[in-house]
Structures are given as structure tokens and as C-alpha cells.
Amino acid sequence: MNIIITGASRGIGYDTVLEFSKNNKNKIIAISRNISELEKLKQKCYEQYENNIHIIEYDITDDQAILKHKLEEYEKIDILINNAGLLINKPFWDLSIEDWQETFNVNLFGAVKVIQTVFDKITKSEYAHVVNIGSMGGISVAQKFAGLSAYSSSKAALGNLTECLAEEFKDHNVSVNCICLGAVNTEMLRLAFPDCTDSFKSEDIARFICDFSSNYAKLFNGKIIPISSSTP
Ligand SMILES: NC(=O)c1ccc[n+]([C@@H]2O[C@H](COP(=O)([O-])OP(=O)(O)OC[C@H]3O[C@@H](n4cnc5c(N)ncnc54)[C@H](OP(=O)(O)O)[C@@H]3O)[C@@H](O)[C@H]2O)c1
């Protein structure tokens, strides 16, 4: 399968690329702004699994034409994982409008842009699965935390977008789901909850994302799926 993963330079995205690369039939396209980290990931995938992944330096808030051009060689994409995310941890009164815009630009509009860019390629797949990586903070009635209003609101919007697109894309046989994560041990968690000691390992979550996105497009559509066993 041809698989795009955004936010692949570290954390969950990085481990998800490694997990997918265990299957040599997978062609993985790993995207982030940090090409030197992507180079290291590419090397690791080759050394460990002989999988030659394709790395793309791209800011998902940039012009879509740039990404379209970089993906020209691919006729078809089977799986898109919108994993890139930004968290600004500030009390509401300290958040500037620019902070809100930056957060939504990455967490919501970034995903929108990548989906729009690859839509014609994904409709060519028999499998066709868009998986958005949301957060427990974006789920209605789940516990909320001070400092995360912009982040949680943007993830709530991403969940709602998932439900809307599942409806709009169903005639194209494209499934869209949102995996809402609880605490996962990455840089982002340390930014949000510096004292949190109870968290999932990023590798375990990567295994789940890989399995879910590869095998369950036909069983789930428009679903908001919470993955959490603690608070946060
Ligand atoms: N860790 C948690 O506890 C947790 C909980 C709930 C949800 N999540 C979600 O899970 C996803 C992955 O989080 P993580 O914990 O692995 O975070 P992370 O360690 O901070 O990694 C974030 C990734 O997103 C990329 N990224 C950020 N802005 C980007 C942009 N404008 N264009 C392209 N790539 C961009 C970063 O790459 P570059 O800087 O190289 O561009 C990096 O690879 C996020 O969507 C996050 O909201 C995480």
C-alpha cells in the first residue's frame, strides 16, 4: 500500500513510519519540516527493514501546490495519516490570536489541505482510508485541562471534520476516522503535562495506528475513537 504520514520527524509519527516499514510491500511517504530527522528515519527504515521510504520536507500550512508537485509520481494513495500536530500550552488570557491561528493552521487547516491535495489519488484506491489523529481533549464531555483551550478546540474541530467528511466521501468509498489519543510519551506530552508519569509508549500507539489504518477502513467510517486508559 502507499501510505502518507505527516509529522514523521519524531514522536508518534516517527514510530508509525517505522511500524509500517516492517512490511516491505508498503511504500511510505513521510512528511515533516525537518529533513535531517527524516533522513535519519529513512536510514533506520532501510537498515532495520530494507524499506526505502520516501521523505518529503514540507510544512503542512504551506501552499498545497508544493505538496501536489512533490507527490506527482504517485497515481494512488491508500492511506493518509494526518498526524502532524501543534500544542501551545498557555492560559486562555495569554493566548494571542496568532497562537490560535497557528494552532488551527496546523491541527485543522493543515489536515484539510493535505486531504484536498491527495483526494483524487485516494479515490483511486480500493482501500482508501484517511485517519486523523485527534486527542481526548477534543472529545466532548472528556475532562479538559487549563492551558489547552486552543489545542483542544482545534482537535474537537478535527473530530467534527472527520464525521462530515465520512458523509461527503462515502460515495467515493473513502473512509475517514479519527483516533483520539490520551497521554503518549512524546515531546508534546512533556509540553502539555510535564509531571505526567502514566502514559502510553509511542511504539505501542504506532502499532495500533498501523493496524487500525491498514485493516479497518471497511468496518469504521466517521468514527471518533478514544484511546486512553488514564487521565490525562
Ligand atoms: N503525545 C500525546 O500525549 C498526544 C495526545 C493526544 C494527541 N496527540 C496527537 O498525536 C499527534 C502526534 O503527536 P506527538 O506527541 O508525536 O507530537 P510531537 O512529538 O510534538 O511531534 C509532532 C510532529 O508534528 C510535526 N509538525 C508540527 N507542525 C508541522 C507542520 N506545520 N508541518 C509539518 N509537520 C509538522 C513535527 O514535525 P516537524 O517539527 O519536523 O515539522 C513532528 O513530527 C499530534 O497530532 C498530537 O496532537 C498526542
Side-chain angles (χ1 to χ4, degrees):
M1 286 206 267
N2 292 343
I3 301 146
I4 295 180
I5 303 170
T6 66
S9 62
R10 59 178 188 267
I12 297 161
Y14 180 97
D15 285 318
T16 304
V17 170
L18 273 177
E19 189 62 34
F20 270 112
S21 73
K22 288 179 182 171
N23 180 346
N24 243 315
K25 290 190 186 128
N26 287 334
K27 180 71 199 177
I28 299 144
I29 303 147
I31 297 176
S32 101
R33 295 166 299 183
N34 188 335
I35 196 68
S36 62
E37 288 307 312
L38 291 179
E39 295 280 6
K40 289 184 209 157
L41 174 60
K42 183 180 168 78
Q43 182 73 16
K44 198 166 175 182
C45 290
Y46 192 73
E47 280 169 10
Q48 288 193 355
Y49 308 114
E50 291 187 357
N51 197 322
N52 193 15
I53 72 166
H54 181 174
I55 56 172
I56 294 181
E57 180 181 16
Y58 177 65
D59 182 329
I60 60 165
T61 66
D62 273 353
D63 187 341
Q64 290 160 291
I66 299 169
L67 182 60
K68 202 172 183 73
H69 176 67
K70 291 186 182 209
L71 291 172
E72 243 165 23
E73 68 195 80
Y74 297 95
E75 275 276 300
K76 178 189 77 159
I77 297 295
D78 301 286
I79 299 174
L80 164 62
I81 301 178
N82 280 311
N83 167 77
L86 172 73
L87 183 147
I88 298 176
N89 184 353
K90 283 185 191 173
F92 177 76
W93 297 114
D94 294 340
L95 280 166
S96 64
I97 285 303
E98 288 74 23
D99 289 331
W100 280 89
Q101 280 165 342
E102 202 186 342
T103 304
F104 274 73
N105 275 343
V106 177
N107 295 350
L108 182 66
F109 304 139
V112 167
K113 283 178 159 184
V114 180
I115 293 168
Q116 284 182 336
T117 307
V118 303
F119 185 72
D120 59 334
K121 297 179 193 296
I122 214 156
T123 54
K124 296 201 176 80
S125 168
E126 300 256 298
Y127 185 72
H129 200 182
V130 176
V131 177
N132 296 322
I133 304 300
S135 164
M136 288 303 292
I139 291 188
S140 180
V141 309
Q143 186 170 349
K144 301 296 180 289
F145 296 92
L148 302 184
S149 56
Y151 175 76
S152 297
S153 308
S154 69
K155 290 295 187 179
L158 183 65
N160 200 290
L161 174 75
T162 301
E163 295 174 323
C164 296
L165 294 188
E167 192 56 31
E168 285 205 27
F169 294 175
K170 69 182 180 200
D171 293 340
H172 298 274
N173 290 318
V174 178
S175 291
V176 190
N177 290 298
C178 185
I179 294 175
C180 295
L181 300 174
V184 186
N185 190 8
T186 67
E187 276 180 35
M188 187 181 284
L189 180 68
R190 290 184 277 285
L191 194 62
F193 302 104
D195 302 325
C196 176
T197 50
D198 190 7
S199 59
F200 292 122
K201 283 188 192 152
S202 174
E203 299 90 320
D204 293 340
I205 291 301
R207 210 172 312 119
F208 175 80
I209 293 172
C210 181
D211 181 35
F212 177 78
S213 48
S214 305
N215 298 311
Y216 295 102
K218 302 297 172 204
L219 291 185
F220 291 80
N221 191 24
K223 296 295 178 284
I224 310 289
I225 301 156
I227 307 292
S228 165
S229 61
S230 63
T231 307

